[in-house]
Amino acid sequence: MAACRRCGTEMVRLFIHPKFPISLNGNMMHVLRLGSKAAQGHVVRGCHQSVWSSHTTVKKVGVDLGERKLEISTGKLARFADGSAVVQVGDTSVMVTAVSKTKPTSSQFMPLVVDYRQKAAAAGRIPTNYLRRELGTTDNEILTSRLIDRSIRPLFPAGYFYDTQVLCNLLAVDGVNDPDVLAINGASAALAVSDIPWNGPIGAVRMGLVDGEFLVNPTRKEMSSSTLNLVVVGGPHSQVVMMEAAGENVLQQDFCHAVKLGVKHTQQIILAIQQLAKECSVSKRTPQKLFAAVAEIVEYAKQLASEKIYAVFTDSSHDKISRDEAIKKIRLETEELIREKFPDADPYEVMESFNTVSKQTFRNITLNEYRRCDGRDLTSLRNISCEVDIFKPLHGSALFQRGQTQVLCTVTFDSLESNIKTDIITTAVSGVKDKNFMLHYEFPPYATNEIGKMSGMNRRELGHGALAEKSLKPVIPKDFPFTIRVTSEVLESNGSSSMASACGGSLALMDAGVPISSAVAGVAIGLISKPNPENPSEIQDYKLLTDILGIEDYNGDMDFKMAGTNKGITALQADVKIPGLPLKIVMEAIQQATVAKKEILGIMNKAIAKPRLNRKENGPVVETVCVPISKRARFVGPGGYNLRKLQAETGVTISQVDEETFSIFAPTPNAMYEAQEFISEICKDDQEQQLEFGAVYTATITEIRDIGVMVKLYPNMSAVLLHNSQLDHKRIKHPSAIGLEVGQQIQVKYFGRDPTDGRMRLSRKVLQSPAATIVKTLSDKYSIAVGTSNSQASNSS
């Protein structure tokens, strides 16, 4: 007996002998009776050969989106996968595969894994790391993987607990069309043409806004001048499945129009994928089991616990911890009684029966009684308090408290050299370049009264931080002289910590004196809906909730986060748990979030209404040093020795702005003072005197070389070379031939500096004539100036 490597199905080779009858179990006899064709379409599915043979014909569909055509094909590449599709726009191509096991896992959730990987070869580059291959995952890859996951997860059947993996492989990138939206459409097509149970397809487009004109799937160049970056994922019947947006104060009416236009174009993609799936003629497999609570056990759990659960959820005196403890106590009592009456029930069925009753009770209170578990009405905000300048040594700090969600935000300034430098592959594939503003989100386990590992950032933290960063980025001045890092540490969490990070970050930036154009606030909108019994895809009744709690997010159907200023929208993220939302609900959610956002901004303005005029005294300082080209070697030192020593001893950071200007960043004013003293010290022997062109000066020989002598015109200057050709009218091979020695003083004539390399031009030869000469005296003058950006270097003659 052997097992299939792919699905684990046991395969038995039968040798039937007329004298020795064999006994088969009921399942095997059932399969044999069905015959090979029926068996392939039933629970027991064929192995590799049947999967490969079902994808041997190449099929292709196309969709015209504006000026570009989107092509989706299947049947040529990766045919062992359950589903495979290649999506192409222009010369950018993405292949997406989908594979799902046929045996359920022990997990009590949908074990879906989505991996989007950037390939260096697709962009025509070689990785620059030591091994010259792709290592680890970048932030852009993780964020794109989350984007795809959130788009396809709501459409899997409830209780489908089978390991499923969707892989996105970049085949070619032309640098014009972004591959992330193509990957979403590729995942939809791969699942649609496979036999994996999935209630799709979906379609995705990116909407841009340039000079008041909406663009569908704009190019990377068009996106650079767009004030809106909106990814809309639509489902059948013009429903919204997922949205992700970043904007530069986009007006509400413009944003709503972009959403409607985007959903309209997704319908074309959905029709094309449906046509492709129809041509493939693949029937969906029947799962061995869809995990769900048994109706009889649910009814018994309702009799035991519904009244107790109702009492807890209608008691507004509970906070997060006490409410969870009360529900946990009822759960343990109820599950024990269920196990006594149903001893053969699976642990999952026992647990899920209580969850079903608890969720139904919670949702019915909101739908039928217009009440929330903390006593608020549907559109009220939790109590909000704001503090700034929490810790004096910090460049900026703020504490934002909304209900039981508490976030501490800090601002740190550093030099422009400290900005995030993306690798060449990310830049080539997705166009992400260096950035001098970043927001890092931290969610420690104590924020929810838990214990866990503090082992770096996870995908959730990265996604929440990216959303809060997008919320604040449009108001940051583009010419700010520092790199800005905002850290958001969630100290208490009971819902919407990412939007609290946007509020706290805005307060901290104003406290730090960053001249942001406007304050930013964010809020999360939730949804409790009731499906139509006759048509479950339609919503019969619904309620939108403003500023949702964690339990409202858990038991609800949507987490709709929106941030912006008083003027418009800067970021939006909508995650939906049901197969899709009608546009009507989306528009209402945007309106409800806009009202709440303005209310929050009014509260924040009481703490700090506008940015501080001046940064804090202990904040960093930036000054410039203007160094003439002729003095640059002395300032930098041999191999950059002076600059490295300056940075090591004073803690400043030096970067070159142009040929004659260096920027000095000091973390504190004291560090800048030390740096100025250091610069004066290393440059004190390079204080060039006032030299007059054509004048004759007395020079002292400091060194004899084969090609000439090194001389100084004054004691503290850097020695310069007087070449053999300028020592005498006669041709000499060594300075000793005319009796020159170290320490000897000679007369030289000054002819300025070489315009190409800045070297001083001196000559003794021209003075070997009877003409009288007048020796000039010298006066001191500094040549290197340290000051602000308006300082200029002294001009040398």
Side-chain angles (χ1 to χ4, degrees), residues 304-359:
L304 295 174
S306 61
E307 293 183 1
K308 298 177 183 178
I309 295 172
Y310 179 86
V312 173
F313 286 152
T314 54
D315 185 357
S316 59
S317 64
H318 280 298
D319 60 14
K320 173 183 170 62
I321 301 298
S322 64
R323 185 182 299 111
D324 289 348
E325 290 293 334
I327 293 297
K328 181 179 178 181
K329 182 179 179 181
I330 299 172
R331 172 191 294 276
L332 294 176
E333 295 173 353
T334 304
E335 289 182 353
E336 184 177 354
L337 294 173
I338 292 175
R339 278 190 286 267
E340 290 178 1
K341 183 169 184 179
F342 301 95
D344 297 332
D346 291 338
Y348 174 81
E349 293 174 344
V350 175
M351 181 186 67
E352 187 61 20
S353 62
F354 181 86
N355 290 342
T356 301
V357 174
S358 176
K359 187 173 182 179

Side-chain angles (χ1 to χ4, degrees), residues 92-94 116-125 134 138 140-141 144 169-180 206 220 422-433:
T92 296
S93 298
V94 182
Y116 171 91
R117 291 300 177 91
Q118 297 171 164
K119 297 298 180 68
R125 302 302 299 266
E134 290 85 356
T138 65
N140 185 66
E141 289 173 329
T144 306
N169 185 7
L170 300 193
L171 302 179
V173 177
D174 58 9
V176 176
N177 301 284
D178 285 327
D180 53 356
R206 170 176 273 112
R220 190 177 298 176
T422 57
D423 60 282
I424 60 171
I425 307 305
T426 300
T427 302
V429 171
S430 51
V432 179
K433 299 181 180 179

